[in-house]
Amino acid sequence: MSAAHLLILGGTTEARRLASAVAGRPELRVTSSLAGRVARPGELPGEVRIGGFGGADGLADWLRTHQVDALVDATHPFAEAISAHAAQAAATTGVPLLALRRPGWQPGPGDRWHPVGSLDEAAALLPELGGKRIFLTTGRLGLPAFAALDGLHFVVRSVEEPEPPLPRHAEIILDRGPFTVDGERDLLRERRIDVLVTKDSGGAATVAKLVAARELGVPVVVVGRPAPPPGVPVATDVGDVLPWLDRAC
C-alpha cells in the first residue's frame, strides 16, 4: 500500500513543526509548499515546492495530479487569499482540509490596545492618536496603506527589504524574530516610539513587542485577523492535527 500524501501549505513556524512531527511516519508522504516570498526559508523535512499554484483551480489540479490525500493550510493567519483558494480546491476535489492557526494575542491589564479591522483602518487611526513616531511591524507587503502619511516618521521592521510605495519618512530595520522583551524595550526607547502598529499574528516569536509596549505605556494599534473560510475546521496546535490526519488518511 502506497503512503498517503499530505500537502502542507506552509511558511510558518507551525507548518515547520507539523512537517517535522510527521516526517518520520512511513505511512505518510509529506510535501510542504512555500510561497517563495522569503529568500532563505530554511530546510524542511520531506519534499518542498516553492511558488504559487495559479489560484484555486491550479491548486485543485495539483491536488489531483499529485494524488494528495489530505491538505493542511498552515499559512500565516493573514494569508487570506491562499486560504480561500485552499477551501475552494478542497471542496472541488473532495480532499479533506484542516486549517492550522496559532491562537491570537489577547490584551492584558495595562495594555493600551486600539483594535482595527484592516491596515487601511490602522492608517486612518494614526493621526488621531497624536503620536509622530510609529513602529510599524505589519510586514513589507502592507506598507502601501501608510504611504500617504507624510507627517509621521515610521520605523519599519521587516524580514525582507520592502518595495515602494513606502511612507516618505521611513527607517527600515531588517530583522527576524524571535525577539526579546529587553531588546524590544530598548528599541522603543531608542527610537522614541509613540505608537506601535502590528497585526494580530499570535505566537511567541514576536509577542515581546507587546510586553515592552505595555511596560512603557505605548499605545498599540492591533489589526484583527480575518476569519477562516466558512466550513473549514481549525486546529490551534500541531498536536491537534495528528489525530485528524489519522482519520483523514
Side-chain angles (χ1 to χ4, degrees):
M1 184 175 178
S2 60
H5 190 187
L6 166 65
L7 175 63
I8 302 172
L9 303 178
T12 61
T13 301
E14 291 73 28
R16 185 177 299 275
R17 289 175 179 164
L18 177 59
S20 298
V22 300
R25 291 190 171 193
E27 74 276 14
L28 273 181
R29 171 189 166 203
V30 182
T31 300
S32 294
S33 178
L34 307 177
R37 290 174 176 165
V38 176
R40 297 180 299 277
E43 293 187 8
L44 283 166
E47 302 173 29
V48 178
R49 70 172 299 278
I50 296 178
F53 292 95
D57 290 342
L59 177 54
D61 289 342
W62 202 96
L63 296 177
R64 296 189 192 96
T65 302
H66 294 84
Q67 298 180 317
V68 172
D69 299 288
L71 175 62
V72 174
D73 172 15
T75 56
H76 192 276
F78 284 83
E80 196 169 4
I82 184 60
S83 293
H85 294 163
Q88 296 171 35
T92 298
T93 60
V95 173
L97 168 64
L98 178 72
L100 175 57
R101 293 286 184 272
R102 70 189 76 150
W105 293 315
Q106 297 297 322
D111 282 323
R112 300 173 61 192
W113 284 19
H114 298 268
V116 295
S118 67
L119 292 173
D120 288 338
E121 288 184 21
L125 177 62
L126 286 179
E128 300 178 16
L129 296 180
K132 295 297 184 181
R133 298 182 62 85
I134 315 298
F135 185 28
L136 196 56
T137 64
T138 55
R140 63 187 177 94
L141 298 180
L143 296 182
F146 304 89
L149 297 176
D150 293 342
L152 302 179
H153 178 89
F154 290 90
V155 177
V156 178
R157 186 164 66 195
S158 175
V159 175
E160 303 277 340
E161 189 74 37
E163 299 178 357
L166 304 176
R168 176 178 298 179
H169 306 290
E171 173 187 353
I172 310 300
I173 300 175
L174 298 182
D175 204 355
R176 181 196 301 266
F179 301 102
T180 66
V181 175
D182 287 344
E184 298 291 66
R185 188 190 304 113
D186 289 344
L187 188 154
L188 293 177
R189 283 174 171 161
E190 291 169 3
R191 299 307 203 283
R192 308 189 312 279
I193 296 301
D194 298 312
V195 181
L196 164 65
V197 182
T198 182
K199 292 179 177 178
D200 180 17
S201 300
T206 58
V207 72
K209 62 191 174 187
L210 299 178
V211 178
R214 179 190 311 138
E215 292 180 357
L216 298 177
V218 174
V220 183
V221 178
V222 181
V223 181
R225 58 175 61 179
V232 176
V234 178
T236 58
D237 184 80
V238 169
D240 297 330
V241 180
L242 303 182
W244 177 86
L245 278 175
D246 291 337
R247 298 189 298 270
C249 297

